[in-house]
Amino acid sequence: MKTYPFSALFSRMKYITRWCLMRSTRPESLSEHTADTAMLAHTLCLIGRHCTGTGASLRPEVVATAAIYHDAPEILTGDMPTPVKYKNDALRTAYKAVEHESARVMASLQPEELQAETQVWLTGSVLNDAERKILKAADRLSAVIKCIEEDRGGNREFEAAYAQQMAALHAMHSPEAEYFIEHMLPCYEQNLDELTRGRF
């Protein structure tokens, strides 16, 4: 009997720890980051459609699904620290090639009938340019939220990462991300009582 290990391999995202060069008060797994990014990407699409009026070309369900797959190649490559990944063009190009090969290998672990469709999710080629930008913004917002959580726990290790991620987010000129930053991001500074007081 032939078996297909793609799903079992995909489930191993929970064993991959992000921020491997940073001292964290609580480790963050790739699974957690993926779930957060998918939710944020879906929210940003809805903001674009209904709040900022900039999301006519956005498909929330497609972007959220692509977000679920967006870091899956790291199951084989591990989480490359950002300072290394983006140090120069040569490293960036080489890492992109490694990610692409990882996506190809992972897709090959599906039944043949599913491989082509799986690969477009793993590579993000299913997205249009506006959706790709939204997914990147959601990815950065997930990092910002991790930085906020670490800071609230008294860990100053993430201060520079917070500043870098916020600068990169603003540089994207994404109305959807700016709306989230203004109206939703401050809530991540609140405790449970503050978040729910008077709402139930």
Side-chain angles (χ1 to χ4, degrees):
M1 177 183 69
K2 188 167 173 113
T3 59
Y4 303 99
F6 175 84
S7 296
L9 188 63
F10 200 90
S11 75
R12 299 183 73 83
M13 281 197 291
K14 60 181 166 280
Y15 302 128
I16 298 173
T17 303
R18 285 171 47 82
W19 307 95
C20 58
L21 296 180
M22 310 281 276
R23 178 180 58 81
S24 299
T25 58
R26 189 184 70 80
E28 179 187 57
S29 74
L30 189 58
S31 288
E32 289 177 276
H33 167 69
T34 296
D36 287 345
T37 302
M39 185 278 294
L40 291 164
H42 191 265
T43 299
L44 291 179
C45 287
L46 295 181
I47 288 170
R49 283 184 154 193
H50 304 291
C51 300
T52 61
T54 53
S57 63
L58 301 176
R59 300 166 292 171
E61 294 79 10
V62 172
V63 180
T65 304
I68 292 170
Y69 288 85
H70 86 284
D71 274 343
E74 291 184 10
I75 295 166
L76 298 182
T77 66
D79 180 34
M80 177 75 71
T82 297
V84 177
K85 192 188 304 186
Y86 298 114
K87 182 172 178 56
N88 57 49
D89 287 341
L91 280 173
R92 188 181 298 112
T93 301
Y95 189 72
K96 283 290 178 193
V98 169
E99 281 187 320
H100 187 77
E101 178 61 11
S102 176
R104 186 197 66 76
V105 170
M106 288 191 67
S108 75
L109 303 177
Q110 289 273 50
E112 188 174 348
E113 299 86 349
L114 305 182
Q115 289 179 17
E117 189 167 353
T118 299
Q119 185 145 358
V120 302
W121 292 110
L122 288 168
T123 60
S125 60
V126 68
L127 302 175
N128 62 43
D129 288 343
E131 291 168 338
R132 223 169 267 112
K133 183 176 178 179
I134 286 290
L135 178 49
K136 187 62 184 174
D139 192 35
R140 289 194 184 284
L141 279 169
S142 173
V144 165
I145 291 163
K146 169 65 173 172
C147 294
I148 290 171
E149 290 171 349
E150 289 292 329
D151 183 67
R152 282 180 55 77
N155 182 11
R156 298 184 57 229
E157 182 86 2
F158 284 73
E159 287 178 355
Y162 174 83
Q164 290 164 0
Q165 291 294 336
M166 285 297 288
L169 266 170
H170 290 310
M172 294 180 75
H173 303 292
S174 165
E176 300 86 359
E178 293 298 333
Y179 184 99
F180 188 97
I181 289 167
E182 181 178 356
H183 298 283
M184 299 176 179
L185 192 61
C187 299
Y188 288 86
E189 301 275 3
Q190 298 177 337
N191 61 37
L192 181 60
D193 287 339
E194 291 168 331
L195 288 170
T196 57
R197 186 177 296 126
R199 300 181 188 272
F200 293 96

